[in-house]
Amino acid sequence: MQNNDPQAPEQGRETAGQAEDLAALQSRIVELEASNAELRESVLRERADLENQRRRLQRDLEQARRFANEKLLNDLLPVYDSLERGLAVEGGDVAAIREGISLTLKALLKVAEANGMAQVDPVGQPLDPERHHAVSMVAAPGKAPGTVVSVLQKGYVLNDRLLRPALVAVAQE
């Protein structure tokens, strides 16, 4: 039998065209799924890298905290050794012991200065409430009122930041 339907050839062409479109779409889906898998893998790799970097930085920060004082303590070892040697001396001359203590103190002050610490010794200067703590007022002829006459305890600053104010006696009016 012969098909006399005029739309039959068109239906065949439509079916063939739809099959080609379907094959192209399926091919495109496969490409997109592969691309999606690559992107997902890339994102996971990047996340893992970031997490590893975060852990590494955390470990480095912890190490820096633990060993921040290493240089200072290495600088203090000679002072420590000098004090031990001084204590090991039996008897001895008071002047020699005093000289040894003086040299040890100089070494300690040198280490402190090398690490940014400085003494506040304000004798003869006007009272500065930011850096001095007046504990008494004394009669001091020839000194201007409010001038530091004596230091009872030296103060210290670390890189211009006050660690401890100097305890001072001030000339009264």
Side-chain angles (χ1 to χ4, degrees), residues 43 51 60 65 68 70 73 75 77 90 128 132 136 144 154 166:
V43 166
E51 184 63 24
D60 291 348
R65 282 187 191 133
E70 182 177 16
L73 293 174
D75 291 345
L77 288 176
E90 296 291 327
D128 178 2
H132 314 143
S136 66
K154 291 181 182 175

Side-chain angles (χ1 to χ4, degrees), residues 64-75:
R65 282 187 191 133
R66 288 181 63 207
F67 297 107
N69 297 333
E70 182 177 16
K71 181 189 178 309
L72 173 64
L73 293 174
N74 274 327
D75 291 345

Side-chain angles (χ1 to χ4, degrees), residues 82-83 86 94-108:
S82 294
L83 289 171
V94 173
I97 292 173
R98 185 172 179 80
E99 183 182 346
I101 291 173
S102 176
L103 291 172
T104 303
L105 179 60
K106 284 180 185 177
L108 181 61

Side-chain angles (χ1 to χ4, degrees), residues 69-144:
N69 297 333
E70 182 177 16
K71 181 189 178 309
L72 173 64
L73 293 174
N74 274 327
D75 291 345
L76 285 174
L77 288 176
V79 176
Y80 176 78
D81 294 338
S82 294
L83 289 171
E84 279 189 333
R85 280 193 298 273
L87 288 173
V89 172
E90 296 291 327
D93 181 9
V94 173
I97 292 173
R98 185 172 179 80
E99 183 182 346
I101 291 173
S102 176
L103 291 172
T104 303
L105 179 60
K106 284 180 185 177
L108 181 61
L109 289 173
K110 186 177 179 180
V111 168
E113 286 174 1
N115 285 280
M117 191 171 89
Q119 287 184 345
V120 175
D121 190 6
V123 173
Q125 298 176 4
L127 178 69
D128 178 2
E130 295 285 325
R131 292 184 175 238
H132 314 143
H133 181 74
V135 292
S136 66
M137 295 187 82
V138 295
K143 299 283 184 179

Side-chain angles (χ1 to χ4, degrees), residues 2 5 29 39 45 50-51 57 65 90 99 122 138:
Q2 192 177 25
D5 187 3
I29 288 173
L39 290 173
R45 222 178 297 115
L50 285 173
E51 184 63 24
L57 288 172
R65 282 187 191 133
E90 296 291 327
E99 183 182 346
V138 295

Side-chain angles (χ1 to χ4, degrees), residues 1 4 6 26 35 41 47 50 61 87 97 112 116 119 134 157 163 167 172:
M1 295 203 88
N4 289 336
Q26 287 175 338
S35 175
E41 185 179 322
R47 279 186 187 164
L50 285 173
L61 182 62
L87 288 173
I97 292 173
Q119 287 184 345
V157 291
L163 290 177
L167 300 180
Q172 63 185 170

